[in-house]
Each structure stands twice: as structure tokens, then as C-alpha cells.
């Protein structure tokens, strides 16, 4: 499966119609969502801090095998469904929402299953989205490949929040549940609070809405209060044509890691501008030829002992050691020294904080 939010499974043309219309055509993550209000008896169920799995809310079977990776995700991406801000806060509504999202993703988008891993209703109920997501969290060392953020589906857990948050904030109950879920994921997977992002930090979309996106700094802080760690959000310099320097050279190496064929000369010329545009197009980012937050967020990948390739060359060139593209003991040693000097946890692994310091 490609690392994008679009899946290749064929659209279903058979099976029961399980949807009733609620809402209009929507942008952002979810598109047109409609709710099936069956299983009304669920309204009598008590509130619970647990996540309702796919069996609890009556999910359809996926169209194809769910891809489960043998490593933990490294980040969380927050979304909104871009649906009406319902005043039905019941568990029955949350279950109906989960079914409607799955129906839309499978029948309209042609995906194999729900795209995101988890959904939080406006009533504060959390449901499992893509099958096997909850089992992967319980395992703590596996990640289900989703379809929620182009370029990040093999790396990030996706959380949808019911509603549209361009001009209003989520309900307190919903936000509290989001903090709890993010804290659980961070604890289980070892994700740092600063690795909580919004969909628009990677792709050309307004998701998760202006107001929810503006709350992400508070979300990171609230999660850090629960699990520890650094809540300061990730930000990058804006590089543009005619810029020169080590930041440009690192960018060129990273673009080569993703399939470009640039000379890493540290000069942001026409070839680099074109490669940036191609990379942005391939990852669903805003295509402008300028290397800003979306481009950097999509380009950086964790690198450590045993890794090879242009990204390792970027690290080696920047730190003045042998540039052979092999992350061996010597590279690890100089990375540790650089981290220590930069006030970063000295573990010899190049994660986002170390990349930020390398770029400068």
C-alpha cells in the first residue's frame, strides 16, 4: 500500500445501504458523511472511558487485509470530520457516526476500511476506526497503516474529531477525551507531545479547522502534563529560491531520499525548486516550490544505527564526519555529541528535534 491517503481497493457496488442523509457536501477530511441511527438501544449504555472497538459499533468487514507494520508510530495527526456540530451527545450517535464514516470511506472513497484509527464524538465517546488499531495500541510495538494523511499513513495515528472547527472550539468533553486519547497513545508508543500535529501541517487542507488547529499548542501542553516531555510544537525555516547554506543542503539530501536526483550544493536553484514542487505534489502538500513547514514535516524521517541513504549523508555532511551514507558507530558518536551540545536528549537517534537543530 502506498503511503498516501488514497487506497487502491475497488469501490463496493453491492451490499446493504446502511446510511441516512445528515448534512451536506463537506471539505477537509471526511467529505459527505451520513448517519445510520440503528442500534438505538445503545443510547442506554453508560459512559465509559474505554474505546469502543469495531465490533461494539457494528463495523463492516474491511474489503482487504489490513496492513500492520512491525514498528510503533512516531506521531499523532488530529483531524475534524467537517460534519455538522451535532447536539446529540449520546453513545448511540457516536456509534452511528462511526458507521457513517466507514460507509463513506469504503463506498464513496473506495478505501478498504475507515481511514483514521480513532474517532471522538462531540459527546466525548471514542471509537476505533480502522480494524486492528486498538489491538496495535495494546501491543505497543505495531502500527496499522491508515488512510488519513497523505505521506504520513505509515508513521502517524489519525484521530478524527466529530464536527467542524473553523469558527468554534470543540466541546470541553470532546477536548478532554482528545487529551486522554493522545496521552494514552504517547505513553504506549513513546510518542513525544511535540509530535502531535494537525492535518494541515502536512497536506493542503483546512483540517482540523482554524480553531482546533489553534488549540494544538494547548493540547500538546495538556498531554505533556500527563506524560512528560517537550510540548513545544515543531516549526521550520522557510527556504526559497536563491537561498544558500547548510539548511538548503540538508533539504537537497532529504529530497534525494524521497527520489530526487539533486546535487547537494547548498544552493536553492531551479532544480531544487522543481524538486520541491514535485515532492509537494507527491505528498499532497501545498505546491509552491517553497520549503516551509509542510515540506519539512513530510521530508524528515527518523534515522539511527544501521540506516543508509541520502538522509544519513545529510547528517554526516552537516556534522563534518565521513560522508558514506551509512549510519555506523562513528556517525552515532558525532550525533550524540551534537545532541549534547544542542541540549537534546543524547541518544544518537536523529529524530525531529535533532533535524531541527541540524537545519538551524
Amino acid at each position: 500500500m502506498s503511503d498516501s491517503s488514497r487506497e487502491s481497493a475497488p469501490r463496493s457496488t453491492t451490499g446493504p445501504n446502511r446510511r441516512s442523509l445528515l448534512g451536506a457536501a463537506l471539505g477537509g477530511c471526511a467529505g459527505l458523511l451520513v448517519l445510520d441511527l440503528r442500534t438505538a438501544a445503545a443510547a442506554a449504555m453508560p459512559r465509559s472511558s474505554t474505546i469502543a472497538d469495531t465490533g461494539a459499533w457494528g463495523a463492516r468487514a474491511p474489503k482487504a487485509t489490513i496492513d500492520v507494520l512491525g514498528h510503533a508510530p512516531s506521531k499523532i495527526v488530529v483531524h475534524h470530520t467537517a460534519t455538522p456540530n451535532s447536539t446529540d451527545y449520546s453513545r448511540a450517535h457516536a456509534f452511528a457516526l462511526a458507521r457513517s464514516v466507514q460507509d463513506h470511506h469504503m463506498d464513496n472513497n473506495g478505501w478498504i476500511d475507515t481511514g483514521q484509527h480513532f474517532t471522538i464524538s462531540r459527546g466525548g465517546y471514542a471509537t476505533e476506526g480502522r480494524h486492528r488499531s486498538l489491538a496495535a495500541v495494546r501491543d505497543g510495538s505495531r502500527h496499522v497503516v491508515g488512510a488519513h494523511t497523505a505521506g504520513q499513513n505509515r508513521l502517524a495515528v489519525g484521530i478524527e474529531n466529530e464536527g467542524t472547527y473553523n469558527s468554534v472550539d470543540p466541546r470541553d468533553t470532546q477536548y478532554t477525551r482528545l487529551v486522554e486519547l493522545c496521552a494514552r497513545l504517547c505513553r504506549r508508543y513513546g510518542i513525544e507531545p511535540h509530535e502531535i500535529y494537525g492535518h494541515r501541517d502536512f497536506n493542503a487542507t483546512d483540517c482540523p479547522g482554524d480553531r482546533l488547529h489553534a488549540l494544538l499548542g494547548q493540547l500538546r501542553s495538556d498531554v505533556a502534563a500527563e506524560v512528560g516531555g517537550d510540548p513545544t510544537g515543531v516549526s521550520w525555516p522557510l527556504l526559497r529560491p536563491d537561498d544558500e547554506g547548510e539548511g538548503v543542503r540538508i533539504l537537497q539530501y532529504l529530497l534525494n531520499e524521497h527520489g530526487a536526483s539533486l546535487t547537494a550544493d547548498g544552493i536553492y536553484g531551479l532544480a531544487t525548486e522543481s524538486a520541491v514542487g514535485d515532492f509537494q505534489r507527491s505528498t499532497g502538500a501545498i505546491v509552491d516550490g517553497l520549503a516551509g513547514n509542510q515540506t519539512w514535516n513530510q521530508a524528515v524521517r527518523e534515522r539511527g544505527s544501521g540506516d543508509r541513504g541520502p538522509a544519513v549523508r545529510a547528517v554526516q555532511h552537516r556534522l563534518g564526519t565521513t560522508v558514506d551514507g551509512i549510519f555506523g558507530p562513528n556517525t552515532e558518536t558525532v550525533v550524540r555529541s551534537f545532541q549534547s551540545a544542542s541540549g537534546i536528549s543524547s541518544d544518537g537517534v536523529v529524530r525531529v528535534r535533532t533535524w531541527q537543530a541540524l537545519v538551524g
Side-chain angles (χ1 to χ4, degrees), residues 296-316:
W296 287 108
N297 285 337
Q298 290 281 16
V300 297
R301 295 288 189 271
E302 180 180 310
R303 289 293 177 263
S305 180
D307 286 331
R308 297 169 177 254
V312 177
R313 291 178 179 273
V315 174
Q316 293 169 329

Side-chain angles (χ1 to χ4, degrees), residues 67-145:
D67 193 1
V68 183
L69 305 178
H71 63 73
S74 59
K75 61 194 74 172
I76 298 168
V77 179
V78 174
H79 304 258
H80 69 175
T81 60
T83 51
N85 291 327
S86 175
T87 56
D88 185 345
Y89 308 137
S90 69
R91 191 176 187 184
H93 175 84
F95 284 11
L97 173 71
R99 292 191 294 270
S100 72
V101 171
Q102 186 189 42
D103 285 344
H104 179 75
H105 287 178
M106 293 177 71
D107 298 339
N108 292 69
N109 293 359
W111 297 348
I112 64 172
D113 196 4
T114 303
Q116 73 272 12
H117 299 90
F118 302 101
T119 305
I120 302 176
S121 73
R122 282 177 51 80
Y125 290 98
T127 53
E128 179 183 31
R130 180 152 293 205
H131 284 76
R132 304 184 67 181
S133 297
L134 192 52
V137 173
R138 288 169 176 158
D139 177 88
S141 61
R142 297 183 183 277
H143 174 57
V144 170
V145 178

Side-chain angles (χ1 to χ4, degrees), residues 9-337:
R11 297 190 179 192
S12 173
T13 57
T14 61
N17 181 353
R18 312 193 314 154
R19 300 175 292 160
S20 59
L21 185 62
L22 179 80
L26 304 164
C29 302
L32 176 64
L33 293 184
V34 288
L35 296 184
D36 170 8
L37 298 178
R38 71 186 187 280
T39 320
M45 294 181 182
R47 285 293 303 272
S48 172
S49 61
T50 61
I51 299 170
D53 63 23
T54 53
W57 56 262
R60 298 156 60 180
K63 295 180 183 179
T65 301
I66 299 298
D67 193 1
V68 183
L69 305 178
H71 63 73
S74 59
K75 61 194 74 172
I76 298 168
V77 179
V78 174
H79 304 258
H80 69 175
T81 60
T83 51
N85 291 327
S86 175
T87 56
D88 185 345
Y89 308 137
S90 69
R91 191 176 187 184
H93 175 84
F95 284 11
L97 173 71
R99 292 191 294 270
S100 72
V101 171
Q102 186 189 42
D103 285 344
H104 179 75
H105 287 178
M106 293 177 71
D107 298 339
N108 292 69
N109 293 359
W111 297 348
I112 64 172
D113 196 4
T114 303
Q116 73 272 12
H117 299 90
F118 302 101
T119 305
I120 302 176
S121 73
R122 282 177 51 80
Y125 290 98
T127 53
E128 179 183 31
R130 180 152 293 205
H131 284 76
R132 304 184 67 181
S133 297
L134 192 52
V137 173
R138 288 169 176 158
D139 177 88
S141 61
R142 297 183 183 277
H143 174 57
V144 170
V145 178
H148 60 92
T149 304
Q152 296 295 311
N153 290 312
R154 301 179 72 85
L155 303 170
V157 178
I159 303 174
E160 285 278 6
N161 294 273
E162 180 193 11
T164 300
Y165 299 111
N166 292 317
S167 58
V168 298
D169 290 341
R171 297 182 69 244
D172 288 347
T173 301
Q174 185 178 29
Y175 175 78
T176 297
R177 197 72 175 93
L178 178 60
V179 173
E180 292 172 354
L181 178 54
C182 287
R184 176 177 179 177
L185 293 169
C186 286
R187 284 194 192 96
R188 196 62 182 161
Y189 285 130
I191 298 172
E192 287 286 338
H194 60 259
E195 292 268 42
I196 300 174
Y197 301 86
H199 189 182
R200 67 174 64 176
D201 294 322
F202 300 96
N203 297 152
T205 175
D206 68 354
C207 179
D210 292 344
R211 296 290 284 271
L212 180 50
H213 194 266
L215 282 173
L216 292 183
Q218 184 63 50
L219 175 63
R220 297 181 191 106
S221 294
D222 289 341
V223 172
E226 295 290 327
V227 304
D230 177 10
T232 306
V234 175
S235 62
W236 302 94
L238 176 63
L239 300 182
R240 62 186 74 224
D242 298 327
D243 283 347
E244 298 184 14
E246 287 305 308
V248 176
R249 193 189 312 276
I250 291 173
L251 173 66
Q252 291 167 329
Y253 275 122
L254 291 176
L255 291 171
N256 288 345
E257 181 86 359
H258 292 277
S261 299
L262 295 169
T263 299
D265 58 7
I267 302 171
Y268 204 126
L270 290 175
T272 298
E273 181 180 6
S274 178
V276 168
D278 289 343
F279 178 65
Q280 292 169 333
R281 195 171 294 107
S282 72
T283 57
I286 295 171
V287 182
D288 58 9
L290 307 178
N293 281 341
Q294 284 186 354
T295 301
W296 287 108
N297 285 337
Q298 290 281 16
V300 297
R301 295 288 189 271
E302 180 180 310
R303 289 293 177 263
S305 180
D307 286 331
R308 297 169 177 254
V312 177
R313 291 178 179 273
V315 174
Q316 293 169 329
H317 195 286
R318 177 68 177 81
L319 297 182
T321 190
T322 303
V323 181
D324 59 7
I326 303 171
F327 204 120
N330 184 63
T331 299
E332 182 175 343
T333 296
V334 295
V335 166
R336 286 180 182 275
S337 296

